[in-house]
């Protein structure tokens, strides 16, 4: 597995949702491997200061931009600012997402649309904008989408999230096919139950749900944000030149379960 310091020297990573739990872990992992790291999120700049300071101690360039990934023009401006400051991003990590609990019978049109615009369209805006620049510069690159095991496993109460993640998976495959001959490799890391971020907050508020989740997962443990980042780093390993269009499923065996078995 890829872990070596210096493996990503000279590379420029761009991470949406970079101030979330998984985004932060990915930022640390890629910076420790030598990449300059650009973070984008909707949160105020003050929320980025601790992470930026930490990344700077590694001696790498870094920056934070407040950006809404649902806004195509804002994402385009963000990519341009990063390219001018740190260089054209060649490690692209569409990671920002939200989830709202509402079943398919009661979800509002506004909530449905908001989740699709952030969780799916936002990934497209970042991936397309960066791919165009890489193609123009005739530079190779990697795109690693943060998907979910929910992409092909329906869940009650989060239909829009499931549909968005299914869309991200097909987007990943379409881009992998289209960009392969430009040496831009495109893959997805699909976590199961993470003890951080979106589900970590639910587990923290309702510890009983955490215990149930741990008991259900066949490996009997939840994945950490650092473990998700570890798989993202592996997909950025420059020595890995053939893997594209794949899903790295890290769900501890959740997808293997069938009712009553
Ligand atoms: N936590 C889990 O259990 C889990 C499981 C599977 C997949 N994932 C995926 O991991 C990724 C990261 O999620 P997380 O768990 O770290 O959650 P998180 O809430 O900690 O991080 C998500 C970040 O995205 C940002 N964001 C939200 N809307 C945005 C927008 N419009 N523009 C820019 N940024 C925006 C948030 O401010 C937040 O910092 C997501 O794609 C999520 O679907 C998480």
């Amino acid at each position: 597995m890829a872990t070596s310091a210096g493996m990503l020297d000279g590379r420029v990573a761009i991470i949406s949702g970079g101030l979330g739990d998984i985004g932060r872990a990915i930022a640390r992992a890629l910076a420790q491997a030598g990449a300059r790291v650009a973070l984008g999120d909707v949160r105020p700049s003050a929320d980025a200061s601790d992470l930026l300071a930490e990344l700077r101690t590694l001696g790498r360039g870094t920056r934070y931009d407040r950006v809404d990934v649902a806004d195509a023009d804002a994402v385009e401006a963000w990519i341009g600012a990063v390219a001018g400051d740190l260089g054209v991003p060649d490690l692209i990590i569409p990671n920002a997402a939200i989830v709202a609990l509402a079943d398919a019978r009661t979800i509002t049109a506004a909530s449905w649309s908001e989740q699709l615009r952030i969780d799916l369209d936002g990934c497209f805006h970042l991936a397309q904008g960066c791919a165009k620049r890489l193609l123009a510069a005739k530079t190779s690159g990697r795109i690693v989408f943060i998907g979910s095991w929910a992409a092909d496993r329906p869940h009650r109460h989060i239909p829009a999230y499931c549909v968005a993640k299914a869309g991200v998976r097909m987007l990943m495959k379409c881009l992998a096919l289209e960009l392969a001959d430009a040496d831009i490799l495109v893959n997805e890391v699909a976590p199961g139950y993470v003890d951080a971020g979106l589900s970590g907050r639910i587990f923290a508020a309702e510890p009983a749900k955490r215990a149930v989740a741990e008991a259900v997962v066949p490996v009997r443990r939840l994945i950490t944000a650092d473990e998700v980042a570890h798989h993202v780093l592996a997909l950025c390993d420059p020595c890995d030149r053939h893997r594209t269009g794949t899903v790295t499923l890290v769900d501890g065996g959740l997808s293997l379960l069938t009712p009553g078995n």
Side-chain angles (χ1 to χ4, degrees):
M1 199 59 81
T3 51
S4 51
M7 181 178 89
L8 300 180
D9 277 352
R11 313 297 293 270
V12 179
I14 187 167
I15 306 170
S16 67
L19 299 187
D21 287 348
I22 292 173
R24 284 171 181 266
I26 295 168
R28 289 188 187 98
L30 300 186
Q32 281 162 2
R36 300 190 284 280
V37 174
L39 306 162
D41 205 292
V42 280
R43 291 164 58 174
S45 299
D47 290 1
S49 53
D50 58 339
L51 182 58
L52 291 178
E54 188 184 336
L55 297 179
R56 283 188 188 114
T57 64
L58 298 169
R60 316 291 180 196
T62 185
R63 64 178 281 137
Y64 175 72
D65 290 272
R66 193 173 191 186
V67 60
D68 177 355
V69 293
D71 180 340
D73 292 340
V75 173
E76 182 56 28
W78 175 36
I79 298 167
V82 171
D85 184 9
L86 303 180
V88 173
D90 55 1
L91 303 173
I92 298 105
I93 321 292
N95 165 74
I98 60 168
V99 64
L101 298 179
D103 64 34
R105 287 167 290 188
T106 57
I107 187 169
T108 63
S111 177
W112 174 271
S113 168
E114 182 187 31
Q115 288 177 80
L116 270 288
R117 284 190 299 106
I118 294 172
D119 297 4
L120 176 56
D121 298 358
C123 290
F124 171 70
H125 298 148
L126 180 58
Q128 187 205 39
C130 290
K132 279 182 179 173
R133 281 184 160 74
L134 289 173
L135 291 168
K138 296 190 175 2
T139 305
S140 64
R142 302 293 169 91
I143 303 175
V144 183
F145 290 98
I146 308 304
S148 171
W149 78 298
D152 60 10
R153 302 287 293 198
H155 287 58
R156 290 191 177 91
H157 312 307
I158 54 170
Y161 181 82
C162 292
V163 167
K165 290 299 185 182
V168 167
R169 183 154 302 168
M170 185 52 75
L171 172 64
M172 179 275 291
K173 292 182 182 182
C174 290
L175 290 179
L177 181 61
E178 197 171 321
L179 299 173
D181 66 357
D183 201 19
I184 300 170
L185 306 187
V186 187
N187 294 284
E188 172 190 341
V189 172
Y193 295 147
V194 184
D195 197 9
L198 298 174
S199 54
R201 286 191 288 276
I202 295 171
F203 295 147
E206 298 178 65
K209 285 195 172 166
R210 186 178 192 282
V212 169
E214 270 180 331
V216 166
V217 181
V219 299
R220 303 286 182 256
R221 60 180 175 270
L222 308 182
I223 187 167
T224 67
D226 286 340
E227 287 170 320
V228 176
H230 179 77
H231 292 284
V232 174
L233 176 62
L235 288 166
C236 294
D237 183 346
C239 295
D240 186 354
R241 298 175 54 232
H242 296 271
R243 184 163 36 168
T244 195
T246 72
V247 178
T248 298
L249 181 64
V250 282
D251 71 349
L254 272 175
S255 303
L256 304 174
L257 294 172
T258 51
N261 179 8

